[in-house]
Amino acid sequence: MALDQTHDPARRSWVASAHEAGADFTIQNLPLGVVAIDGNARAAVPIGDRVVDLRHARDAGLLGTLPTAIADALGAPTLNALFALGRPALATLRAHVSEMLRADTPMGARAAKDATLTVPAGTVEARLPVEVGDYTDFYASIDHATNVGSMFRPENPLLPNYKHVPIGYHGRASSIVASGVPVRRPRGQMAPVAEGLPRFGASERLDYELEIGAVVGRGNALGAPIPIAEAEQHLAGLVLVNDWSARDIQAWEYQPLGPFLAKNFATTIAPWVVTLDALEPFRAPARPRAEGEPAPLPYLADATDRTRGAYDITLEVWIRTERMRAEGRAAERLSHGTFGRMYWTLAQMLTHHASNGCNLRPGDLLASGTVSGPERDSRGCMLELAWKGTEPVVLGNGEKRAFIADGDEVILRGWCERPGVARVGFGECRAVVLPAVG
Ligand code: CA
């Protein structure tokens, strides 16, 4: 997609809060999600501090004449059917929603007078934007892979396959939860403390992982790989993901088959899928391969992907402990980094995933892996930030964290900003940790 009038930074909305400094949900953004309005799951778009009910918009004629397939998909309780229609349909819907929310058009004037078109964002409950059929988690940050590798294999931090093959594992979709849903500390089996038997109990090393998730749009048939030049046509958009991880359970169980119960007790995703169309102004060259690093194999190599396959997204992790809430303290930032530094692009991850003929389906979630950078304050999980517990983080009120405590709320934020372009934000992905059961 090229830039079009929906990206015009001069475009104004009749929702005034969309123009406040630092607003995530500008009229140039228009991400998609599902919220509960009066108990009913509704496809929705946030704008400023309001949320637009898309089904109401359709029924009130405020979206003009939409192709039937798009209009039908807006009546569904998830976005799977809409995303299955592919990128052109999302671009069409984006154009219609933008017209409806403009300050200076007859349709915008009509929409502004409709009292039930929008509701205050603070009054709606986020639902999962899609029913996730399959969830895959990659490991695409070379800084994360190097940091974690150096804790466990100081002499050989990066395994020899890393620079050739996008590493990933199949996660579990059933425990993906919407932002705001509390996360229960898992119990599990862990290594013996000294000599003796392994233990079973509440994890003492609960961690978050800051990630970006790509939501699959149009799928591919079983046995039909996706060429890298077409990969992004199969992606609807991106969403913030917290891949909760129990490091003590992980350390005991991960060999030889990889993550299992250390990961599948909860994964939190943000309410809003920011479309790739909205992110078009924030494309960036893929991370260049350094001298001596191998070129990607031909099926993962594409000139366009190399020049514009990355997305320049600023990401942050914040924490607010139970004591901070009691003391009336605001959340504190733990780290900040950028998604633009990942070793593999989204197109490379998706193409690799389907390269053996594996079929991807609308609504599948492909998460990036922990987004870390080379600096200490850009480490995207507590395992790295507190370096395996040896360098605890000291918070403003004196509390220390080597891992996540009960009552802690972890908040992920993300946004894109560039001179001459309207800001596009991802909103927040948040959850409070509850004590383990029993
Ligand atoms: Ca992960």
Side-chain angles (χ1 to χ4, degrees):
M1 184 193 191
L3 295 186
D4 63 24
Q5 291 177 344
T6 64
H7 300 95
D8 180 0
R11 190 165 274 206
R12 303 283 299 178
S13 173
W14 48 265
V15 180
S17 55
H19 300 285
E20 287 171 8
D24 274 349
F25 304 126
T26 56
I27 191 171
Q28 294 80 9
N29 187 353
L30 307 177
L32 295 158
V34 173
V35 297
I37 296 178
D38 297 332
N40 300 307
R42 293 293 181 86
V45 166
I47 176 89
D49 60 4
R50 310 286 297 183
V51 171
V52 179
D53 177 344
L54 286 178
R55 195 172 85 175
H56 174 82
R58 176 198 72 181
D59 294 346
L62 296 171
L63 290 172
T65 308
L66 284 172
T68 308
I70 299 176
D72 288 350
L74 293 182
T78 67
L79 300 178
N80 295 63
L82 177 66
F83 289 173
L85 299 174
R87 294 282 298 275
L90 293 182
T92 299
L93 177 61
R94 173 180 168 85
H96 284 253
V97 172
S98 181
E99 283 299 311
M100 172 178 69
L101 294 173
R102 281 178 69 178
D104 46 1
T105 59
M107 189 65 93
R110 243 185 85 196
K113 290 198 193 83
D114 187 319
T116 50
L117 175 63
T118 72
V119 291
T123 65
V124 295
E125 172 200 336
R127 297 276 175 91
L128 290 176
V130 286
E131 184 181 352
V132 181
D134 278 294
Y135 162 42
T136 302
D137 196 16
F138 283 92
Y139 198 54
S141 162
I142 194 169
D143 294 301
H144 173 68
T146 304
N147 283 341
V148 173
S150 63
M151 287 176 209
F152 298 97
R153 297 178 304 275
E155 70 296 338
N156 181 27
L158 210 58
L159 293 169
N161 59 2
Y162 189 86
K163 292 180 178 176
H164 297 281
V165 58
I167 301 294
Y169 70 95
H170 282 126
R172 186 156 182 92
S174 67
S175 51
I176 295 176
V177 293
S179 179
V181 175
V183 166
R184 180 74 65 183
R185 176 179 300 273
R187 286 157 57 83
Q189 188 179 137
M190 292 162 279
V193 178
E195 291 186 19
L197 292 173
R199 303 164 286 142
F200 184 89
S203 168
E204 293 168 0
R205 297 196 152 201
L206 180 62
D207 201 356
Y208 58 85
E209 289 188 339
L210 165 68
E211 306 198 13
I212 286 282
V215 181
V216 173
R218 189 158 55 82
N220 62 306
L222 181 63
I226 299 170
I228 188 163
E230 295 169 22
E232 287 198 357
Q233 289 303 311
H234 292 265
L235 288 178
L238 307 183
V239 66
L240 297 172
V241 174
N242 182 346
D243 177 30
W244 296 96
S245 301
R247 302 301 184 193
D248 37 14
I249 300 172
Q250 185 178 2
W252 177 237
E253 74 171 8
Y254 86 102
Q255 290 176 316
L257 288 185
F260 183 36
L261 302 186
K263 297 278 192 175
N264 71 3
F265 58 94
T267 304
T268 305
I269 68 172
W272 304 115
V273 179
V274 179
T275 65
L276 288 198
D277 292 336
L279 293 169
E280 190 66 23
F282 305 100
R283 304 192 68 119
R287 181 189 178 282
R289 295 295 185 256
E291 187 75 23
E293 286 183 339
L297 288 175
Y299 79 104
L300 295 177
D302 178 75
T304 305
D305 189 52
R306 196 159 53 244
T307 53
R308 43 191 263 117
Y311 291 86
D312 197 3
I313 305 168
T314 300
L315 295 168
E316 291 183 338
V317 182
W318 295 67
I319 190 169
R320 196 168 184 222
T321 68
E322 194 163 17
R323 198 175 119 197
M324 289 164 74
R325 288 197 296 279
E327 293 170 350
R329 287 173 175 264
E332 258 176 60
R333 194 174 74 173
L334 288 174
S335 70
H336 63 104
T338 172
F339 187 61
R341 292 186 48 85
M342 304 297 270
Y343 194 83
W344 300 105
T345 64
L346 294 169
Q348 286 172 320
M349 288 186 258
L350 182 131
T351 291
H352 179 66
H353 202 313
S355 63
N356 63 346
C358 173
N359 52 327
L360 306 175
R361 296 179 295 186
D364 283 358
L365 182 68
L366 312 185
S368 62
T370 307
V371 183
S372 291
E375 305 86 10
R376 187 177 194 281
D377 61 2
S378 63
R379 297 173 185 167
C381 63
M382 196 59 101
L383 177 70
E384 288 170 84
L385 201 58
W387 208 255
K388 220 176 153 188
T390 60
E391 303 169 17
V393 174
V394 182
L395 302 173
N397 65 356
E399 285 184 281
K400 288 184 181 169
R401 285 291 180 276
F403 291 96
I404 295 301
D406 291 345
D408 287 355
E409 183 173 31
V410 176
I411 305 152
L412 312 183
R413 293 177 182 155
W415 69 88
C416 305
E417 283 182 347
R418 269 186 187 174
V421 177
R423 176 179 159 112
V424 165
F426 284 74
E428 293 182 341
C429 175
R430 54 167 70 220
V432 175
V433 172
L434 302 179
V437 177

